[in-house]
Amino acid sequence: MPIQATAARIHQYGAPEVLQFEDISVADPVGNEVRIRNKVIGLNFVDVYYRRGSMPVPEFPAIIGNEGAGVIEAVGPNVTSVKVGDRVVYGHPSYGAYASVRICDADHVVVIPDGISDEQAASSFLKGLTSRYLVKEIVALTPGDTVLYHAAAGGVGLMFAQWAKSIGVRLIGTVSDSKKAEAARAAGFDEIINYRTEDFVVRTLALTNGEGVKAVFDSVGKDTLEGSLATLKNRGTLAQFGIASGESRPINLLELAPRSLMVTWPSLPSFIGARTELLAAARDLFNAIQTGVLDVTATRVYSFEEVITAHHDLESRRTVGSAVLRV
């Protein structure tokens, strides 16, 4: 029978204050569904995109959020991959995480191994799987390669640095202040550029003796597009995977021709769309955590009731590393 839960819903796009706490009714799972009692909800900048309408929600009222960890309370009749009592984590496309209890497709959840906490899982699943495909599947990175990463002190950036450093990549990262520079350097970035006080194009080219970098990983978008292209070496790759500063202008393919540049917009569903792909990527992520390649400790923990404050901090880029909501 349905149970009562609490959700932070939006009835329109706008500032963080559009998030409203409301009582909801959560039905019993059917088919391949599971019912999860959330323990920790992951915070990601994509949540801001959905809240302010940069990315559309299916309908109003909407429960945003793509990532969380919790305990399975009930399973549908077709579920065989998990059972009641399992600790699980889920990510994209499991839309609707900002709730104390939620229904989720069993194909989107993964059992959390012993030795990894709910907080670690919820702070690292989406960011960890994203950093994994950036490091391992976009460009063939090899020891000695040099890359540029924007927003180096973000949750994905800090994991990217640790993973890329483990294979010997030289890392240049951009940040906005000294606190973020310290976090980025601790994660493994070799060179830090404060984009508020330095021209990142000039500095990157100086650091590479004018040659440029093999790849740029850019979640900022409009504000960095031109500079990102300018810092690439011949046959370099720009991987843009976010629009924190707004949508980039359209690129005329002919402007890439002089240096044979490549531009791609990778998205997580393309790499974990099949259940087998999700499980393989999750195993790789969990192994990296358990072997110490990745430190995924959340740097900021909010209570669920502080979700509006958390969104203000996300949007103003006051967060360093990963942040979570504890339910």
Side-chain angles (χ1 to χ4, degrees):
M1 62 184 296
I3 64 171
Q4 294 301 111
T6 302
R9 299 202 293 189
I10 62 172
H11 293 256
Q12 62 185 34
Y13 299 125
E17 285 72 19
V18 298
L19 287 159
Q20 299 178 24
F21 283 98
E22 298 172 345
D23 293 331
I24 61 170
S25 179
V26 181
D28 287 333
V30 298
N32 198 50
E33 294 176 339
V34 296
R35 190 173 71 211
I36 301 170
R37 182 165 295 276
N38 279 329
K39 300 296 183 182
V40 185
I41 298 167
L43 285 165
N44 298 279
F45 206 89
V46 70
D47 302 349
V48 174
Y49 295 158
Y50 280 115
R51 191 209 72 229
R52 66 190 185 190
S54 302
M55 298 175 70
V57 297
E59 61 183 356
F60 292 115
I63 304 173
I64 63 174
N66 291 77
E67 178 180 38
V71 178
I72 292 182
E73 289 191 333
V75 300
N78 299 337
V79 175
T80 58
S81 56
V82 292
K83 63 184 184 303
V84 172
D86 280 346
R87 289 191 313 125
V88 295
V89 63
Y90 57 86
H92 191 90
S94 302
Y95 180 83
Y98 283 18
S100 58
V101 179
R102 60 148 321 153
I103 295 293
C104 190
D105 189 315
D107 286 344
H108 300 160
V109 307
V110 176
V111 174
I112 302 170
D114 292 340
I116 295 178
S117 69
D118 296 339
E119 193 171 289
Q120 287 177 307
S123 68
S124 69
F125 201 61
L126 277 181
K127 299 176 189 69
L129 295 180
T130 299
S131 65
R132 178 190 174 279
Y133 78 66
L134 292 176
V135 171
K136 297 189 172 187
E137 302 197 54
I138 303 303
V139 182
L141 296 178
T142 58
D145 286 337
T146 301
V147 303
L148 173 66
Y149 189 102
H150 290 299
V156 176
L158 297 183
M159 290 185 212
F160 175 92
Q162 296 172 72
W163 228 327
K165 202 64 186 173
S166 73
I167 60 176
V169 175
R170 183 188 180 211
L171 300 167
I172 303 172
T174 66
V175 298
S176 59
D177 59 46
S178 58
K179 181 180 179 183
K180 291 182 177 181
E182 183 179 345
R185 196 173 295 281
F189 280 93
D190 299 284
E191 306 288 349
I192 307 296
I193 302 171
N194 185 329
Y195 64 81
R196 296 190 188 279
T197 60
E198 297 180 275
D199 184 321
F200 78 81
V201 176
V202 172
R203 182 71 176 136
T204 299
L205 292 176
L207 289 169
T208 58
N209 296 317
E211 182 180 6
V213 296
K214 183 172 184 176
V216 178
F217 299 91
D218 187 350
S219 63
V220 177
K222 182 176 67 174
D223 290 352
T224 50
L225 173 66
E226 307 302 335
S228 293
L229 291 171
T231 60
L232 287 171
K233 66 192 302 185
N234 283 347
R235 301 190 303 280
T237 298
L238 168 60
Q240 187 173 91
F241 61 102
I243 51 171
S245 67
E247 292 187 26
S248 301
R249 66 163 176 83
I251 295 175
N252 183 334
L253 295 181
L254 284 176
E255 69 186 273
L256 306 178
R259 287 180 288 143
S260 297
L261 301 182
M262 289 169 279
V263 177
T264 181
W265 188 299
S267 63
L268 185 57
S270 300
F271 298 93
I272 60 167
R275 174 72 176 169
T276 53
E277 293 175 324
L278 172 62
L279 293 177
R283 281 195 299 270
D284 199 11
L285 171 62
F286 293 146
N287 180 66
I289 296 170
Q290 291 172 320
T291 58
V293 170
L294 296 180
D295 178 357
V296 297
T297 304
T299 55
R300 184 69 184 271
V301 179
Y302 302 85
S303 68
F304 188 24
E305 293 73 22
E306 294 178 295
V307 65
I308 291 175
T309 298
H311 266 245
H312 276 295
D313 290 347
L314 275 177
E315 201 159 17
S316 62
R317 303 184 189 181
R318 286 194 291 266
T319 57
V320 175
S322 298
V324 297
L325 302 168
R326 182 163 286 282
V327 183

